[in-house]
Amino acid sequence: MALEFHKLTDQVDKMGQALASQKTDLDVKTKIALQILEAYADEAFLPAIQQRVQDAITKDAGYRGARPLDEPLMAVYPAAPLPETATVIACDGSQIAPNTHGAALYYLLNIGTIIVHHGSGDPPEIVSQPYLFYEPEYLYTQERGLITPTVVAARRTVSEMAAIAEHAWRQRDEARPMLALFDGSLLILGISSEVPDRDELYGIYFSAMTRLIEVQAGLAGYIDRPRSSFIVGLLHLLDLSEEMVSRSALATNGRIEGLYDTHVFRSLLQPSERTALFVQMSPQNKEFRRSGGDTHEIAFFYVNVAAPGEAAHLARIEIPMWVANNRQLVAELQALIYHQCQQLASRYPYVLTRADELAVVKGEEARQLNILIQVALKRHGLDSAESEKQATKEAARSRKTRFKIGQTSGG
């Protein structure tokens, strides 16, 4: 049955009213946040701000906001001139999770990579590499339960970082700077305790990052339309008196609760400009620093990737500390990322869009893979039938046959 839109009209209108009311509230809170930001804008406040953050952590107050690195809170930095030549590498991945109703139990990872030799005039290099996993050790947990899509996603994320490192190593003698662009946060949050090979995956991930250090690649994680509030959390901390700092007081962001960092900075950044560098004070980032050393701790900044004259479009860029400590490289990466975002009207990096196109497995391709697997099973004398449930789903989705009440198929 088709979606009955006329039954949604009133609900959609109420949604519009609610969002309009929320915007008014957020506008008020944004003004408050900017007032706090301006009050601590002077560079002379930096040591005191960093001490406030450290005191909150020492008190175990549950602080999860940002810490400024070494730049004033309200500082704005233009991009460096676009490098004449550079090497830009981007990877993305897709997956097909195990399906107990299929002809065989397996999962698929497909990693797409694009390498742009900026300024050379040469066409981009493109690579799409599929990996099929069907061995029991990849499909089951130690308790013999079937792995979940979360496990597959974690393995895909690590495979993407490993692919970036491998291609960066192969391109180590090419033009510099080298931008290795990762889709999403560098802080891999998906490796939970339910992932059976969690420690091994972390080892592969950190090893790939270390390999990127060896070739001095500028690794950056690109987060489009971020909904994070790390800096808002910092502003809330600064808004509290020292004696008020506690776990309960930091459980929310007080009078600026509900704001995102982008609400605060979208009026401050012109196209191509970035904010100051910050460090996210999260357990995940502490683990990164503990496991990989100071070089692996993750810093971040916001950049306005909109074209001149457009409404602000802020992205969050995460970079490891080995990149953050090289401000010339930061400025060059900023320029390259902005340039990439100007290639498409969506203001999203061209290389990440192409990597996604290379990685995605379309529905028809998934069906062809299943047919290929069924043929292989038959060739080796194995049962290749899908479950009745799967067969019914495939028939319903194929659109090649339409069934109507009172009609029968055939003759």
Side-chain angles (χ1 to χ4, degrees), residues 40-293:
Y40 289 90
D42 195 293
E43 186 174 7
F45 284 111
L46 263 180
I49 295 170
Q50 292 169 335
Q51 188 60 52
R52 284 294 301 276
V53 171
Q54 186 56 49
D55 290 345
I57 295 171
T58 302
K59 290 174 65 174
D60 191 24
Y63 180 69
R64 297 291 183 268
R67 170 177 60 82
L69 198 54
D70 55 9
E71 298 172 335
L73 295 191
M74 275 189 88
V76 170
Y77 296 89
L82 184 66
E84 292 186 6
T85 59
T87 303
V88 182
I89 304 170
C91 285
D92 200 3
S94 67
Q95 66 196 54
I96 297 177
N99 180 6
T100 56
H101 296 281
L105 202 57
Y106 70 91
Y107 71 87
L108 177 83
L109 300 182
N110 195 40
I111 308 300
T113 305
I114 179 170
I115 303 163
V116 173
H117 300 281
H118 170 75
S120 70
D122 296 333
E125 299 177 45
I126 56 173
V127 181
S128 179
Q129 182 61 57
Y131 301 94
L132 190 66
F133 297 87
Y134 51 86
E135 299 90 341
E137 58 265 33
Y138 292 114
L139 293 172
Y140 296 98
T141 65
Q142 292 179 346
E143 293 75 27
R144 303 308 298 162
L146 183 64
I147 60 170
T148 65
T150 300
V151 176
V152 179
R155 292 172 179 171
R156 187 205 71 230
T157 299
V158 171
S159 296
E160 291 169 8
M161 182 60 74
I164 285 180
E166 178 64 26
H167 286 286
W169 178 261
R170 293 176 181 176
Q171 301 292 323
R172 62 188 181 278
D173 295 327
E174 297 300 317
R176 297 305 176 107
M178 178 185 288
L179 168 60
L181 199 56
F182 188 80
D183 183 23
S185 175
L186 297 179
L187 289 168
I188 45 176
L189 308 180
I191 305 187
S192 63
S193 57
E194 71 177 273
V195 180
D197 49 347
R198 181 175 186 268
D199 293 341
E200 180 183 353
L201 290 177
Y202 268 124
I204 295 171
Y205 194 87
F206 285 124
S207 177
M209 291 182 72
T210 300
R211 200 172 192 188
L212 288 166
I213 296 176
E214 293 172 355
V215 298
Q216 289 300 296
L219 175 63
Y222 189 94
I223 298 96
D224 188 45
R225 297 184 183 275
R227 299 170 67 84
S228 47
S229 54
F230 306 125
I231 298 172
V232 170
L234 171 63
L235 297 179
H236 171 55
L237 174 65
L238 298 177
D239 197 35
L240 297 171
S241 60
E242 290 188 32
E243 60 272 13
M244 290 179 63
V245 175
S246 65
R247 185 171 290 273
S248 60
L250 294 177
T252 72
N253 284 328
R255 59 181 182 149
I256 52 176
E257 173 66 23
L259 280 186
Y260 300 133
D261 295 342
T262 52
H263 290 126
V264 180
F265 286 103
R266 63 189 174 193
S267 64
L268 302 179
L269 295 178
Q270 295 300 310
S272 83
E273 292 181 340
R274 73 163 174 91
T275 65
L277 287 168
F278 295 86
V279 177
Q280 178 187 342
M281 308 307 292
S282 67
Q284 292 83 7
N285 210 3
K286 292 177 185 176
E287 174 64 22
F288 264 54
R289 183 171 182 173
R290 187 191 67 80
S291 299

Side-chain angles (χ1 to χ4, degrees), residues 378-393:
K378 285 182 179 179
R379 186 165 58 245
H380 292 282
L382 299 174
D383 180 15
S384 63
E386 298 175 328
S387 73
E388 292 298 325
K389 179 177 180 178
Q390 185 67 26
T392 302
K393 283 184 176 181

Side-chain angles (χ1 to χ4, degrees), residues 347-361:
R347 304 305 171 215
Y348 188 74
Y350 166 77
V351 286
L352 286 181
T353 301
R354 288 288 289 119
D356 174 74
E357 292 172 352
L358 292 167
V360 67
V361 179

